[in-house]
Amino acid sequence: MVKATMETPRDQELIDRIHDTGYRLTPQRLALIRLLADDCSHPTAEQVYTRLRQEFPTVSLATVYNTLEMLVALGEALPLDLQEGVTRYDVRRPTAHGHVICRHCGRVEDVELTEVPNLLRATGDQTGFGDVRPRIAFDGVCPDCRPADPG
Amino acid sequence: MVKATMETPRDQELIDRIHDTGYRLTPQRLALIRLLADDCSHPTAEQVYTRLRQEFPTVSLATVYNTLEMLVALGEALPLDLQEGVTRYDVRRPTAHGHVICRHCGRVEDVELTEVPNLLRATGDQTGFGDVRPRIAFDGVCPDCRPADPG
DNA sequence: TTAGGTGCAAATCATTTGCAATCTC
DNA sequence: GAGATTGCAAATGATTTGCACCTAA
């Protein structure tokens, strides 16, 4: 159920941010933003590249990395180091929330955690690291993989 | 303050585990275990390699990776994906606890979090991922780096 | 004795970089 | 027009692998 023509708020938010901060809005960046603004699959750069190439066959992987890096610099994308070796990206909701990753199929989902503010306070107090940003994840086995790998 | 001759409990624990599970205790593995059993610096494989070579100059990086992987497989080491590109290891305490990482110098410290059991329950309930293991980290700026990078 | 382990060197794989050509503002 | 951005290809850096030799059990 994708709204093809009308810009969604998240799209527009990102486009405005790019303009406001002096970055340039290229067709490649626009296409990537439209692709990821409402994506909740936490894709890797490679996955973004593969999907983006379907509608923009000349785009390069370097540009994908470059654009994702820009969004991270703007605080509009959240890089997730959930498995060794690959970085996943959450462009939809760069605010603090938790993730669960399936040990079996690698799928990532969001979790709402009400206790995060307490954790942040406790951590700051205990370590002297001052204001601290959470990276909270859990691994388990997702319902789809349960029969295959109960561990 | 290193006890040179007497085996500490954690050393012995790991040695026993290796025997019990049918793995072989090689001199390289023993040296690595003695090096890391009480280490709280959360080193990378490369760092372990560098230190280990001081007392075992012929050891190879492949063996370091191999031994760390074995300890992870035994549940006796915890791999930490805290920054993209490198895996750090905690051999001292493979049980669930939190970490803080300094954005500026990369140093990693432990944090005790009493709320983890609640989080685990909340996450399991919300996602259907069943029993879930936490990977909880925070990033901020450590006291030593505060003057240099207040952000 | 013999599978598992070691060390070396080469191979992978994600990510980064150098640079000339090409665009956005 | 100027400087940012692109795309390609080559470079990097962490981790893995193939393989002949070795050694713990």
Side-chain angles (χ1 to χ4, degrees):
Chain A
M1 211 52 54
V2 177
K3 295 165 193 161
T5 52
M6 196 181 69
E7 221 99 79
T8 70
R10 182 65 182 145
D11 284 0
Q12 198 53 57
E13 214 171 274
L14 292 171
I15 292 168
D16 292 346
R17 234 16 214 119
I18 288 177
H19 279 140
D20 294 352
T21 48
Y23 286 94
R24 290 183 181 174
L25 186 65
T26 64
Q28 291 89 333
R29 290 180 173 178
L30 182 57
L32 185 145
I33 285 172
R34 289 202 166 123
L35 194 67
L36 293 189
D38 292 300
D39 183 288
C40 57
S41 71
H42 310 84
T44 64
E46 192 72 43
Q47 289 169 334
V48 174
Y49 175 55
T50 302
R51 291 190 219 157
L52 193 55
R53 243 190 329 182
Q54 290 173 17
E55 56 185 87
F56 210 117
T58 62
V59 81
S60 74
L61 187 51
T63 296
V64 170
Y65 275 108
N66 170 28
T67 302
L68 289 170
E69 187 185 7
M70 175 197 69
L71 291 171
V72 171
L74 290 177
E76 299 291 345
L78 205 62
L80 308 175
D81 298 321
L82 299 177
Q83 331 164 81
E84 46 180 301
V86 245
T87 300
R88 292 169 169 279
Y89 294 86
D90 188 336
V91 178
R92 200 174 51 119
R93 288 198 321 164
T95 55
H97 61 280
H99 293 97
V100 262
I101 176 170
C102 175
R103 269 197 288 281
H104 195 264
C105 68
R107 155 176 149 196
V108 175
E109 290 182 17
D110 295 322
V111 208
E112 301 307 326
L113 299 170
T114 55
E115 327 213 19
V116 173
N118 298 332
L119 289 179
L120 295 179
R121 194 174 335 103
T123 301
D125 290 351
Q126 230 181 93
T127 61
F129 270 53
D131 280 339
V132 119
R133 282 193 299 237
R135 308 191 202 173
I136 299 182
F138 304 86
D139 59 275
V141 179
C142 76
D144 294 351
C145 292
R146 189 76 43 76
D149 175 4
Chain B
M1 206 52 53
V2 177
K3 296 167 194 160
T5 52
M6 197 182 69
E7 222 99 81
T8 70
R10 182 64 181 148
D11 285 1
Q12 198 52 57
E13 213 172 275
L14 292 171
I15 292 167
D16 291 347
R17 235 14 217 121
I18 288 176
H19 280 141
D20 295 352
T21 48
Y23 286 94
R24 290 184 183 173
L25 185 65
T26 64
Q28 291 89 334
R29 289 180 173 178
L30 182 57
L32 185 145
I33 284 171
R34 288 202 166 123
L35 194 69
L36 293 189
D38 293 301
D39 182 288
C40 57
S41 71
H42 310 84
T44 64
E46 192 72 42
Q47 289 170 333
V48 173
Y49 175 55
T50 302
R51 291 191 218 156
L52 193 55
R53 246 191 326 184
Q54 289 173 17
E55 55 184 88
F56 211 118
T58 62
V59 81
S60 73
L61 188 51
T63 296
V64 170
Y65 275 108
N66 171 26
T67 302
L68 289 170
E69 185 185 6
M70 175 195 68
L71 290 171
V72 171
L74 290 177
E76 298 292 343
L78 205 62
L80 307 175
D81 299 321
L82 299 177
Q83 332 163 79
E84 47 181 300
V86 243
T87 301
R88 292 169 170 279
Y89 294 87
D90 189 336
V91 178
R92 199 173 52 117
R93 289 199 320 165
T95 55
H97 61 279
H99 293 98
V100 260
I101 176 169
C102 175
R103 270 196 288 279
H104 195 262
C105 68
R107 158 177 147 195
V108 175
E109 290 182 17
D110 295 322
V111 206
E112 300 307 326
L113 298 169
T114 55
E115 327 212 19
V116 173
N118 297 332
L119 289 178
L120 294 179
R121 192 173 339 100
T123 302
D125 290 352
Q126 229 182 92
T127 61
F129 269 55
D131 280 339
V132 119
R133 282 194 300 236
R135 308 191 200 173
I136 298 182
F138 303 87
D139 61 275
V141 180
C142 76
D144 293 351
C145 292
R146 188 76 42 78
D149 175 4

